[in-house]
Amino acid sequence: MSANTRSRRTFTALLAAGTLALTLGACSTGNSPSSTSASASTAAAMPGGAVPAAVPADEPFGAACAAVPKEGAGSFNGMAKDPVATAASNNPLLSTLVAAVKQAGLVDTLNSAQDITVFAPTNDAFAKIPKADLDALLADKAELTKVLTYHVTPGRLAPSSLAGAHKTLEGGSLTATGSEPDFTVNGKSKVLCGNVQTANATVHIVDTVLMPAS
């Protein structure tokens, strides 16, 4: 083999190796649109190119949240696994509300609803109602249903969307004012522990029973 032939073959081999190196380099640096976009997003999200941590969902807020059990079915984690009427039945703050829901025959209705918000009066909220009036309300299924469904609105109202007027399942509307962590509903019912999640609802625990317009 002549020296010229060997030189041409050596040059051709080096050229092929260089082309392969360039191709592999292009792949490894992510020149495809998807990898370039992902890299840019990560770099924009965190200084130094660090991978950003997952952002946690909004958590419950309010002073009364401390009274919610830390563990078990009545805890925040436990309630998140059950539909709203079942979840409320495991929370000791809401036993009177649960009894009223059962009396009105609304357990299945609430548990089967999708993406609702429930303003849930505490036991102390019901205790503000004179006993004779409360007994009369519990004995009148139609009126009790009207009052309870007034506490329910379509859609999950997060703290960022809580302030404002909201249509209720009863047919009327209620109005929340304020900002996290201080919200008031209809001018008098304070949100004691808000943004509690259940499997199908967001719950805002309030200190006064809401009454629809007559």
Side-chain angles (χ1 to χ4, degrees):
M1 182 183 297
S2 67
N4 288 339
T5 301
R6 285 196 300 271
S7 297
R8 284 196 300 272
R9 288 187 176 181
T10 300
F11 177 78
T12 301
L14 290 173
L15 180 61
T19 302
L20 178 60
L22 288 174
T23 303
L24 293 176
C27 292
S28 64
T29 54
N31 284 339
S32 67
S34 57
S35 57
T36 302
S37 176
S39 299
S41 298
T42 301
M46 294 289 288
V51 177
V55 178
D58 287 343
E59 296 183 356
F61 66 86
C65 292
V68 174
K70 302 300 182 186
E71 299 179 346
S75 67
F76 292 130
N77 287 337
M79 292 179 70
K81 299 175 183 177
D82 292 319
V84 63
T86 302
S89 70
N90 295 319
N91 189 312
L93 296 176
L94 305 175
S95 58
T96 304
L97 172 63
V98 171
V101 168
K102 291 179 178 178
Q103 184 73 12
L106 292 174
V107 172
D108 290 341
T109 299
L110 293 177
N111 276 348
S112 62
Q114 294 299 313
D115 294 330
I116 56 175
T117 294
V118 177
F119 294 86
T122 62
N123 297 340
D124 289 342
F126 280 98
K128 291 180 181 180
I129 303 174
K131 186 177 185 306
D133 293 341
L134 180 58
D135 289 344
L137 177 62
L138 294 174
D140 187 337
K141 186 174 181 179
E143 187 64 22
L144 181 60
T145 298
K146 181 178 179 180
V147 170
L148 293 176
T149 53
Y150 182 68
H151 289 74
V152 183
T153 68
R156 290 179 181 256
L157 295 177
S160 59
S161 57
L162 186 54
H166 307 286
K167 192 77 171 178
T168 72
L169 297 190
E170 177 268 338
S173 64
L174 53 78
T175 302
T177 56
S179 59
E180 188 179 346
D182 298 312
F183 287 100
T184 301
V185 185
N186 285 359
K188 58 183 178 181
S189 187
K190 298 287 187 181
V191 175
L192 300 177
C193 181
N195 205 40
V196 178
Q197 300 302 313
T198 75
N200 69 325
T202 295
V203 177
H204 299 290
I205 300 174
V206 295
D207 70 353
T208 304
V209 177
L210 304 170
M211 293 296 181
S214 301

